[in-house]
Amino acid sequence: MSNWNTVLELDSERRVTGGDPQALCDAVSRGGDLRIMTQFIYNEHIDPKSSDDSAVNEVSDFRVTYVIDGRWVAGIMNLRMPIANESDFGPRPSMSYFMYNQDGQQAIARLHLDGETPADHSVIAAEAFDSMPKNHIQAHLDADTNAPIVNFIWDFEVYRFIVCDNWEEVYAHTADGQTVRGSLQALREAFLEGREIKVGLRGICRDLAEPGTPAPDHEMFVHTGPGYDWVSQGLFSAGAQPTVRVRPTIPMVYASGGWDFGWLMPRTDGHVSRWLGNPYTLQFTKSEDRCDIRWFVR
């Protein structure tokens, strides 16, 4: 039996036709994984010059998720390279950091990895978007940089938000390591059984807020990879999968200078080591933070 269930569905005008936005928010807040199914017409989305008007179904994995102000969900594809069509990748090596909001509003940050000058950003060029009548650009920014971004709405035939809500929260603590729920021992035991681990990091993007404006309450959820039980120190830490940090807003959008990418290493005393990349220069900087953290296992 599948552990994946549709909790929210929107039509092409982004009206709710099934499920409930609150059910989506509740599931993601419990650590639930998010996939989104969309449907589009081939010659409306892939190749406007084609005579092929058949439907294409896409299901994508959003392994970085956000809950903003306890009531709004957005997800980011953190592992995707550009797909041109059924036969090939896109023209340049890059990351396709697509971001979807619970109301169907979308965005993409294109992080180029080839070190070339930003002379050709045809993957998300404004004229390419304009040639597709079901695409509605809200903002096209940083086009002449290594990391162009577009905020937009694509009128997919359907949006289906599917979650796997089978994570168990075993430990929650404050930014200074004070236990809120569960126990470090429960986390350790699950880790030694080989179970998967996921973290919820509260306030991890507050430094990306507009100057002079406090960031809204937010929590980022991301899977971890390697974990470490530091027995003599009484600590546990884990390396998170690659993540994308975005200025927390409702809805979530990309803004010039309002996002970055990289790796995080949370620890059970609230400490978070950060190794973050500047998307415009590809230069990396190490830094530290402290967060309220929740640890999930399955």
Side-chain angles (χ1 to χ4, degrees):
M1 179 180 295
S2 173
N3 291 317
W4 293 87
N5 296 287
T6 298
V7 295
L8 176 65
E9 187 166 322
L10 311 178
D11 64 12
S12 61
E13 297 183 14
R14 299 183 296 128
R15 297 172 299 195
V16 175
T17 57
D20 177 18
Q22 188 60 51
L24 173 65
C25 187
D26 291 346
V28 174
S29 295
R30 291 190 293 264
D33 299 328
L34 175 63
R35 291 176 178 166
I36 300 176
M37 178 268 181
T38 54
Q39 184 183 85
F40 56 86
I41 305 304
Y42 186 93
N43 60 8
E44 293 177 347
H45 190 85
I46 300 296
D47 182 4
K49 299 178 182 179
S50 171
S51 61
D52 185 351
D53 60 358
S54 62
V56 179
N57 297 315
E58 176 181 347
V59 178
S60 289
D61 206 13
F62 293 76
R63 294 182 75 83
V64 173
T65 52
Y66 286 87
V67 174
I68 310 297
D69 197 29
R71 60 186 175 89
W72 189 269
V73 170
I76 298 175
M77 302 182 200
N78 63 323
L79 301 175
R80 174 172 173 165
M81 293 196 80
I83 302 294
N85 51 45
E86 68 274 20
S87 302
D88 200 5
F89 289 103
R92 294 180 61 185
S94 59
M95 299 304 297
S96 297
Y97 291 140
F98 279 99
M99 178 166 61
Y100 286 29
N101 286 271
Q102 67 180 48
D103 66 346
Q105 183 165 321
Q106 302 137 61
I108 180 175
R110 171 74 65 201
L111 179 69
H112 288 97
L113 303 173
D114 53 15
E116 295 181 7
T117 57
D120 177 16
H121 292 302
S122 59
V123 175
I124 57 170
E127 56 270 22
F129 271 70
D130 288 341
S131 69
M132 299 177 178
K134 289 196 173 183
N135 185 61
H136 312 286
I137 294 179
Q138 298 171 313
H140 191 274
L141 306 171
D142 297 340
D144 59 348
T145 74
N146 187 68
I149 54 182
V150 180
N151 299 310
F152 64 97
I153 295 172
W154 185 281
D155 296 332
F156 288 115
E157 304 303 305
V158 64
Y159 307 76
R160 190 171 295 155
F161 296 78
I162 310 167
V163 298
C164 183
D165 186 13
N166 63 353
W167 290 88
E168 175 189 0
E169 181 190 301
V170 293
Y171 190 36
H173 56 80
T174 63
D176 59 0
Q178 298 300 307
T179 297
V180 176
R181 288 181 302 276
S183 69
L184 174 58
Q185 184 60 29
L187 174 60
R188 282 173 162 164
E189 290 174 359
F191 167 68
L192 293 175
E193 291 172 357
R195 297 172 71 179
E196 294 179 82
I197 297 176
K198 190 174 188 178
V199 290
L201 304 170
R202 192 167 188 173
I204 191 65
C205 301
R206 59 187 178 277
D207 57 312
L208 292 174
E210 290 275 12
T213 303
D217 180 59
H218 62 280
E219 191 171 15
M220 173 207 284
F221 299 86
V222 61
H223 295 73
T224 69
Y228 303 91
D229 183 10
W230 307 100
V231 178
S232 63
Q233 293 97 326
L235 295 170
F236 180 87
S237 65
Q241 291 188 1
T243 191
V244 184
R245 298 193 320 139
V246 181
R247 178 178 297 155
T249 57
I250 295 178
M252 292 279 279
V253 297
Y254 285 115
S256 183
W259 68 283
D260 58 26
F261 70 101
W263 285 260
L264 305 171
M265 186 172 64
R267 200 171 65 193
T268 51
D269 61 352
H271 180 272
V272 181
S273 295
R274 314 190 310 181
W275 205 351
L276 301 174
N278 182 317
Y280 307 106
T281 66
L282 296 183
Q283 297 299 306
F284 281 78
T285 303
K286 289 183 176 180
S287 58
E288 299 177 350
D289 198 359
R290 283 194 168 272
C291 295
D292 295 350
I293 303 176
R294 295 196 288 154
W295 300 82
F296 302 85
V297 302
R298 71 174 175 193

